[in-house]
Amino acid sequence: QVQLVESGGGLVQAGGSLRLSCAASGRTFSSYYMGWFRQAPGKEREFVAVASRSGGRTYYAESVKGRFTISRDNAKNTVYLQMNSLKPEDTAVYYCAADRYGSNLSLDGEAYDYWGQGTQVTVSS
């Protein structure tokens, strides 16, 4: 069983930055595609970003493109989400997820096998 633990969330003013981290257990982290999703109260979960096994290929939702950056350090079993120029509409619980057998950059949450507990990001205006 793979466990994912997010951290780094908090309260920030619009225009500010946060870096989220997701630490994973297991010995096969480098074989997983890793994604970030978010969910605001009363809204559907939405895709944010995904990285390939090496982190060499990435894909972003249009709403965050140019502001967010996903990266990973396989030696540390950790994936990151650097969030800059934050907007109030970025307020949500952010989840990291692992696609165990991924071969592409999936935007569909159903493709992911393991999920973290989430970390709250609140952006004030």
Side-chain angles (χ1 to χ4, degrees):
Q1 182 66 41
V2 174
Q3 294 184 340
L4 306 174
V5 181
E6 302 96 334
S7 62
L11 176 64
V12 65
Q13 291 189 352
S17 298
L18 285 173
R19 188 176 77 158
L20 306 184
S21 298
C22 175
S25 66
R27 296 175 56 82
T28 56
F29 176 80
S30 62
S31 71
Y32 306 155
Y33 279 44
M34 296 297 299
W36 286 97
F37 292 77
R38 67 187 183 186
Q39 187 169 28
K43 298 183 179 179
E44 296 183 358
R45 181 182 63 196
E46 66 173 335
F47 167 81
V48 176
V50 60
S52 62
R53 292 177 175 86
S54 68
R57 304 202 316 278
T58 59
Y59 188 82
Y60 299 89
E62 286 295 325
S63 60
V64 306
K65 192 173 298 182
R67 299 187 298 121
F68 291 11
T69 302
I70 187 171
S71 62
R72 63 192 296 167
D73 186 339
N74 289 343
K76 297 181 178 179
N77 275 205
T78 302
V79 63
Y80 305 94
L81 185 68
Q82 178 67 46
M83 306 185 295
N84 298 327
S85 301
L86 283 162
K87 304 175 180 179
E89 50 263 46
D90 295 318
T91 295
V93 176
Y94 283 71
Y95 300 90
C96 69
D99 181 357
R100 190 175 182 180
Y101 301 108
S103 60
N104 59 5
L105 304 176
S106 181
L107 283 62
D108 185 357
E110 292 297 319
Y112 294 82
D113 303 288
Y114 306 105
W115 294 80
Q117 83 291 339
T119 186
Q120 176 72 47
V121 172
T122 303
V123 184
S124 62
S125 60

